[in-house]
Amino acid sequence: MVPGDGVELFVRHGGSGPAVLLLHGHPRTSSTWHRVASRLVDSGLSVVCADLPGYGRSGKPTPATDHRPHSKRAGARHLVAVMRALGHESFAVVGHDRGSYYGMRMALDYPDQVSRAALLDCVPISEHLDRADARFATAWWHWFFFAQPDLPERAITADPTAWYRADRPAMGPENYDEWYAAVHDPDVIRGMLEDYRAGLTVDYRDEQADRAEGRRIRQPVLVLWSLRDDLAELYGDPLVIWRGWADDVTGFGIDSGHHMAEEAPEALAAALRDFLANSL
C-alpha cells in the first residue's frame, strides 16, 4: 500500500531502469498484467502495476453527488503521487479499458511526469458519447446502466460471479482468485460503478473543456485494440479518432479478445517493448 495524495493504492512493482505504470480495466485488478509485467521487467524496465482507485485492494474514495472523487483527474493525481512515492518522477503509462482514461488524463495533466502513453481498447469518453447511437447503446449498454443510482449495486452484488462470468483457466488461477475476491467486495463494486458514473458526468465535461481549450497530448501515444472486440467495428480506425487528441499517434490491432493482457500477452508485451524502447 502506497500513499497517493489522500488515497492509498495497492501496487506491485519490480525491475530496474525506466519506469512504466500499468493500469487495468473493469472489472480486473493489477493482477491482470501477470503475463505481461515479467516480460517488461526482463526487457529492462521498472514496472509498477496499480489497482485503480476504488478497485481491488486500493483505497476507496468517498462517493459524492458530483462524482468528482472518482473522476479521472482525481485518480490521475493519486497515481502520480504513488509513482513519486516510489521514486519515479518520470514514467510511461499503459492503460487498458477504464485504465486508459486514467492514462489519458495523466498524459494531459502531467506532461512533465508522463513521458509517453499506450492506450488500449479505447477512444476518449467524449468521443464515445458524442457518437452514441443505437449500436453503441446496445453493445455498451452497461455504461448507462452503471450510471443509475443503487440499482446496479443490487444487481451485481446479488451474484457477482454470474454477472461477470470470468474464465478461470483463461485468466490464470491466481489472477482469477484475486478478481473473485475483489468482485465479491461490495465496496469494490461501488468504487467501480462510481468510476462509470464519473465518466458520464465530470469526466465528460473535463474532456469537453480540454477540446475547447485546445489541449492535446504532446507525448508519443501508442493505440492498440483487440481485433476480436468491437472498437473498430463501431468506429473504424481508432487512430483517426486519437489523432484528433494527440500529436504523435501510432498503433495497430492485436489478435485477441478484450482482455489482451491475459489472452495475447506475448504480442502485447512485444508491442509495448517496441514502443517503450526509446525510454531505455
Side-chain angles (χ1 to χ4, degrees):
M1 300 297 295
V2 179
D5 191 11
V7 176
E8 282 195 329
L9 300 186
F10 176 80
V11 303
R12 297 170 159 90
H13 59 102
S16 59
V20 57
L21 171 63
L22 306 183
L23 301 176
H24 62 89
H26 174 269
R28 297 300 202 252
T29 71
S30 55
S31 67
T32 194
W33 298 105
H34 69 104
R35 293 171 177 148
V36 173
S38 60
R39 289 176 163 92
L40 297 182
V41 167
D42 290 344
S43 71
L45 293 166
S46 180
V47 177
V48 179
C49 304
D51 285 1
L52 293 172
Y55 286 71
R57 282 177 270 183
S58 281
K60 311 296 185 287
T62 301
T65 54
D66 64 359
H67 308 296
R68 176 59 73 178
H70 290 82
S71 69
K72 307 307 165 287
R73 176 158 280 149
R77 185 181 76 251
H78 300 316
L79 289 159
V80 168
V82 162
M83 292 300 282
R84 285 175 173 155
L86 293 172
H88 304 304
E89 291 294 332
S90 177
F91 56 91
V93 62
V94 178
H96 176 256
D97 183 78
R98 303 305 293 183
S100 71
Y101 300 130
Y102 293 85
M104 172 186 172
R105 179 52 54 194
M106 293 167 77
L108 283 167
D109 288 2
Y110 299 92
D112 293 335
Q113 283 74 47
V114 176
S115 59
R116 54 187 54 219
L119 306 174
L120 284 48
D121 275 336
C122 67
V123 297
I125 290 171
S126 58
E127 297 287 355
H128 281 297
L129 296 179
D130 289 346
R131 288 170 166 78
D133 57 13
R135 288 192 312 152
F136 175 77
T138 300
W140 293 41
W141 60 272
H142 61 283
W143 276 34
F144 307 104
F145 178 65
F146 288 173
Q148 305 307 308
D150 301 322
L151 182 60
E153 280 92 340
R154 292 171 60 191
I156 296 171
T157 58
D159 191 344
T161 306
W163 181 273
Y164 285 116
R165 297 174 296 177
D167 185 330
R168 192 171 193 267
M171 291 180 67
E174 292 179 69
N175 180 29
Y176 178 91
D177 291 346
E178 182 167 313
W179 162 85
Y180 184 93
V183 300
H184 282 78
D185 181 344
D187 290 337
V188 171
I189 298 300
R190 182 66 180 271
M192 294 194 296
L193 294 172
E194 283 295 319
D195 173 13
Y196 281 85
R197 290 164 181 150
L200 296 191
T201 54
V202 61
D203 294 330
Y204 178 64
R205 293 193 293 272
D206 284 346
E207 288 186 12
Q208 286 181 310
D210 293 330
R211 294 301 294 266
E213 297 166 10
R215 300 181 73 216
R216 294 174 60 81
I217 300 173
R218 305 301 179 185
Q219 305 95 316
V221 173
L222 174 68
V223 175
L224 302 174
W225 60 95
S226 303
L227 293 175
R228 288 183 264 126
D229 204 5
D230 60 359
L231 194 69
E233 180 181 339
L234 286 170
Y235 302 120
D237 186 351
L239 299 180
V240 173
I241 294 175
W242 277 109
R243 285 173 180 145
W245 288 84
D247 295 344
D248 180 1
V249 180
T250 57
F252 52 89
I254 297 281
D255 185 15
S256 174
H258 180 59
H259 294 287
M260 61 172 72
E262 297 167 3
E263 299 176 37
E266 292 183 7
L268 176 56
L272 294 177
R273 277 196 301 263
D274 290 345
F275 177 63
L276 298 170
N278 292 332
S279 300
L280 298 176

